[in-house]
Amino acid sequence: MSDDVTVIVLAAGGGTRMKSKTMKVLHPIAGRSMIGHVLHAARQLEPTRIVAVVGHQREQVGAHIEDIVPDAVMAVQDTQEGTAHAVRTAWEAIPAEARVGTVVVAYGDTPLLEGETLARFVRFHRESPVAMSILTGVVADPTGYGRILRDEQDAVAAIVEEKDATPEQAAIDEINSGILAFDADFLDDVLPRIGNDNAKGEYYLTDAVALAREAGRTVAAFAIDDVMQTEGANDRVQLAALGAEMNRRILEHWMREGVTIVDPATTWVDADVRLAADVTLLPGVQLQGATVVDEDAVVGPDCTLKDVEVGAGARVVRTHAELAVIGAGATVGPFAYLRPRTVLGADGKIGAFVETKNSEIGPGAKVPHLSYVGDATIGEGANIGAGTIFANYDGLEKHRTTIGAHAKTASNNTFVAPVTVGDGAATGAGSVIRRDVPPGALAVSSGPQRHYEAWALRKRAGTKQAEAAEKALGEPGERPDGGTPDPDVGDAPVGG
Ligand code: UD1
Ligand code: CA
């Protein structure tokens, strides 16, 4: 027997109940499309080929499938005339010499399906001398499913679809999950013989069961307890239910791998996230995309991290981050916003109300408070003062700022890029740095402080401000002389 395996994934149906311009199988659950989950499971079989049957929105769906499985065979089903018609379309899309071995049929909308389940099912099918096998389940409410009919010997005799079932048959709770395995020779023989004389006027793949029996072949049933693995989402209510179930399974997996999840009810982790042992996730955490968290890191409460790498022992609090790298032992937040290509070195700090983008912040460097760091390179051990703006945009182009190793910049600085502050340099509070600062220099750009004595008494007469000043200054004779003439600023406040 050939050990060739073909997986056919059906995804041509419209999915109208989603009421969406996006095709049903493209709706995401746990960071992957529904069909993405199915293709991942299919790939774990290491099949010879994957054939996808596309119809509605075939360009969009086909392109998405090729992103995940570049060598997938695309079979276009122009009109959706039933599951047998769909499989026939797939069959015709592969060359005759490829129509050998085992053929597995799955649907594109069953995101909980696991590769391990498919693998067990295929092994089961190959070890039994049968024409085809059905992945079955027993469910509390069989509405909508094809029911498994058995003969006196308890062998599988047929599948009857809901719409064609007698009330007696409809009461059967053993159902066809939709996942089937065929001997290629049998499938090749049976496909042209399936008609559409039924309640829906469709070509039912499930008719293959009765046809196998008529030909004297046997059909095996492989029952799984975890029927949810084969459940599809037809509308957004089911999409949310399957999403919640998938999340529950993902969290359970990670807890069993040694991750502490304080509040599973408010923690959402995507399928492709990787977590090390002794990671702690506090309430309100969403880990999305290809996020990776290394051991002993603590994330949360209230963080959304997408495609972020969190190093060992790092601490991330109330942070929104995307495509960022947080070094080992670093601290981030609370209320930090890390935009793409932020790289924070080991033991570095991005503190409260800090936004970063396309910036490397070196090992041990700190941006503790209220700052915007865009297009910057901050050297090892540097400290950026509170309220600093890296002015990276001149209205036309973005430019870089470089801050040297162990530089100490003061509060409320503006770095007008492109500009470089040398290693070990320093700046004064409120400086606007437009020219490069040499290593070790102190740069001060704000002018010397001047006092317009008793200014409030003259310019703010009759206000509480003037009253307070007058009280503090004492009698007119005791007041200091106004050294500097009043500036020509009208009634505008001086110096903000
Ligand atoms: C099918 C099975 C039923 C099973 C149920 C499990 C048949 C006749 N019935 O019923 O026994 O219990 O699935 O969910 O096989 N599709 C195409 N092209 C088509 C028709 C369907 O690609 O022409 C795709 C759909 O997009 C969908 C899948 O095949 O992903 C199943 O089709 P659907 O019409 O939903 O079948 P059910 O009536 O649910
Ligand atoms: Ca269905």
Side-chain angles (χ1 to χ4, degrees):
M1 188 179 138
S2 163
D3 48 12
D4 196 293
V5 175
T6 298
V7 179
I8 298 175
V9 179
L10 306 189
T16 48
R17 278 180 283 165
M18 296 299 283
K19 298 195 177 157
S20 176
K21 55 189 170 300
T22 302
M23 264 282 291
K24 173 167 87 171
V25 296
L26 299 184
H27 279 261
I29 279 181
R32 284 184 198 152
S33 64
M34 289 207 272
I35 197 169
H37 286 286
V38 175
L39 293 170
H40 269 83
R43 259 207 320 222
Q44 283 174 43
L45 284 177
E46 298 183 359
T48 320
R49 66 191 66 76
I50 293 178
V51 187
V53 180
V54 295
H56 283 271
Q57 294 188 29
R58 72 192 61 149
E59 291 81 15
Q60 207 187 344
V61 177
H64 178 74
I65 292 168
E66 275 170 349
D67 275 352
I68 300 166
V69 183
D71 59 355
V73 177
M74 223 52 77
V76 176
Q77 190 193 23
D78 286 308
T79 50
Q80 283 70 56
E81 298 173 47
T83 47
H85 181 254
V87 169
R88 203 162 65 207
T89 308
W91 205 233
E92 284 161 5
I94 60 173
E97 62 271 21
R99 297 175 195 159
V100 293
T102 302
V103 182
V104 181
V105 176
Y107 300 163
D109 68 347
T110 56
L112 293 177
L113 181 63
E114 288 171 19
E116 178 53 33
T117 302
L118 275 184
R120 283 195 295 131
F121 178 52
V122 169
R123 269 201 305 275
F124 164 85
H125 172 74
R126 285 168 141 191
E127 285 161 7
S128 356
V130 297
M132 66 180 284
S133 302
I134 312 165
L135 192 74
T136 62
V138 172
V139 294
D141 176 12
T143 307
Y145 286 104
R147 315 296 205 277
I148 308 292
L149 307 187
R150 289 180 179 262
D151 64 17
E152 301 77 43
Q153 281 75 48
D154 212 33
V156 175
I159 298 175
V160 60
E161 291 303 306
E162 167 102 7
K163 287 207 166 133
D164 303 288
T166 64
E168 216 170 47
Q169 291 168 335
I172 295 170
D173 60 1
E174 186 185 10
I175 57 98
N176 167 31
S177 70
I179 297 167
L180 304 172
F182 293 89
D183 235 17
D185 289 343
F186 170 69
L187 184 65
D188 197 55
D189 177 63
V190 81
L191 279 175
R193 297 198 284 122
I194 294 175
N196 63 351
D197 183 16
N198 52 52
K200 276 173 125 181
E202 284 187 358
Y203 296 89
Y204 290 163
L205 188 57
T206 45
D207 283 356
V209 178
L211 291 170
R213 289 296 302 259
E214 277 171 31
R217 305 287 307 268
T218 43
V219 175
F222 179 79
I224 58 163
D225 295 334
D226 185 15
V227 196
M228 267 200 120
Q229 280 195 41
T230 67
E231 274 181 25
N234 293 308
D235 59 29
R236 306 214 195 204
V237 176
Q238 291 169 347
L239 186 73
L242 289 185
E245 176 60 19
M246 172 155 295
N247 188 57
R248 200 191 61 72
R249 291 176 181 215
I250 290 169
L251 298 185
E252 189 174 312
H253 164 80
W254 288 120
M255 289 189 278
R256 296 204 186 285
E257 293 291 314
V259 174
T260 295
I261 298 176
V262 173
D263 183 20
T266 62
T267 305
W268 291 81
V269 175
D270 278 357
D272 292 318
V273 168
R274 293 289 165 264
L275 306 174
D278 285 322
V279 160
T280 298
L281 304 182
L282 298 177
V285 168
Q286 290 172 277
L287 302 181
Q288 302 176 332
T291 293
V292 178
V293 185
D294 212 342
E295 61 179 0
D296 299 322
V298 180
V299 180
D302 302 329
C303 289
T304 300
L305 309 184
K306 183 174 188 197
D307 300 323
V308 172
E309 274 177 59
V310 180
R315 184 77 184 87
V316 185
V317 185
R318 291 185 210 280
T319 290
H320 187 100
E322 196 168 335
L323 261 177
V325 177
I326 296 167
T331 61
V332 177
F335 310 108
Y337 179 27
L338 278 54
R339 292 166 50 200
R341 298 193 307 285
T342 293
V343 179
L344 175 61
D347 301 315
K349 178 181 175 117
I350 293 174
F353 303 103
V354 173
E355 174 180 343
T356 62
K357 182 215 82 170
N358 190 27
S359 292
E360 288 141 46
I361 298 168
K366 294 180 166 51
V367 187
H369 330 275
L370 299 159
S371 295
Y372 171 61
V373 182
D375 302 305
T377 303
I378 297 176
E380 172 170 4
N383 190 88
I384 305 301
T388 294
I389 303 296
F390 286 70
N392 55 330
Y393 186 48
D394 61 14
L396 295 172
E397 282 175 73
K398 304 277 169 72
H399 302 280
R400 270 197 103 69
T401 298
T402 303
I403 306 289
H406 299 285
K408 302 272 177 269
T409 70
S411 296
N412 195 28
N413 278 190
T414 301
F415 295 105
V416 183
V419 75
T420 296
V421 174
D423 291 349
T427 62
S431 296
V432 178
I433 304 298
R434 300 171 190 276
R435 290 188 293 121
D436 290 356
V437 180
L442 167 67
V444 179
S445 81
S446 48
Q449 181 169 320
R450 288 170 295 175
H451 296 169
Y452 306 98
E453 301 292 353
W455 171 88
L457 274 50
R458 296 187 297 281
K459 298 293 190 189
R460 293 290 180 269
T463 66
K464 287 205 162 130
Q465 182 184 5
E467 205 178 293
E470 197 162 12
K471 206 165 150 198
L473 287 169
E475 293 304 309
E478 300 162 18
R479 291 175 197 166
D481 296 336
T484 314
D486 284 351
D488 184 18
V489 292
D491 287 333
V494 178

